[in-house]
Amino acid sequence: QVQLVESGGGLVRPGGSLRLSCVASGKIGGLYAMGWYRQVVGRQREFIATSTNRDTTDYADSVKGRFTISGDFVNKTVYLQLNSLKLKDTAVYYCSDEGIGTNGSTRQYWGQGTQVTVAS
């Protein structure tokens, strides 16, 4: 019954900004990373950014310098600030929480997605 809910998507002009939020509920064992992905219909889900409980971050080259991820592991909340948006950023954005079980297996949970549309 783990649930992740994204919010903050919408329509924005090229060069504009959005701030996405994702709040998780339920018990996630061994939570160590929260991240953002995006997907266009017919394409594979694409990694965007990850934040870890060791205060490290990682970004896809396509968004580096434009997007900023921030994670609140106490409240299981992750944010993504999207700046300087481009047409190619149009996609459904998904958040994910990653935990590791006692057997060492990694589990990844997904939100339902929020639409970001960049258009003139």
Side-chain angles (χ1 to χ4, degrees):
Q1 67 272 33
V2 173
Q3 292 185 337
L4 282 66
V5 180
E6 303 97 334
S7 62
L11 175 64
V12 63
R13 294 175 59 85
S17 298
L18 286 172
R19 182 174 174 84
L20 308 182
S21 300
C22 172
V23 180
S25 61
K27 300 176 182 177
I28 302 176
L31 178 65
Y32 71 93
M34 299 184 290
W36 289 93
Y37 296 70
R38 66 188 180 190
Q39 187 170 26
V40 178
V41 173
R43 294 187 58 188
Q44 196 79 6
R45 193 164 295 185
E46 175 190 11
F47 165 78
I48 298 301
T50 297
S51 174
T52 76
N53 61 2
R54 297 186 178 183
D55 294 325
T56 62
T57 58
D58 191 27
Y59 296 90
D61 288 342
S62 61
V63 306
K64 196 171 300 182
R66 299 189 298 123
F67 294 3
T68 303
I69 188 171
S70 57
D72 178 352
F73 283 83
V74 173
N75 295 297
K76 295 184 293 187
T77 302
V78 63
Y79 305 93
L80 186 69
Q81 178 69 42
L82 301 81
N83 295 330
S84 302
L85 283 162
K86 305 174 180 179
L87 295 179
K88 67 179 182 179
D89 294 320
T90 296
V92 177
Y93 283 70
Y94 298 88
C95 66
S96 72
D97 286 2
E98 300 175 38
I100 186 166
T102 57
N103 63 355
S105 297
T106 300
R107 301 183 69 87
Q108 187 168 23
Y109 303 90
W110 296 96
Q112 84 289 345
T114 185
Q115 177 72 46
V116 172
T117 302
V118 184
S120 299

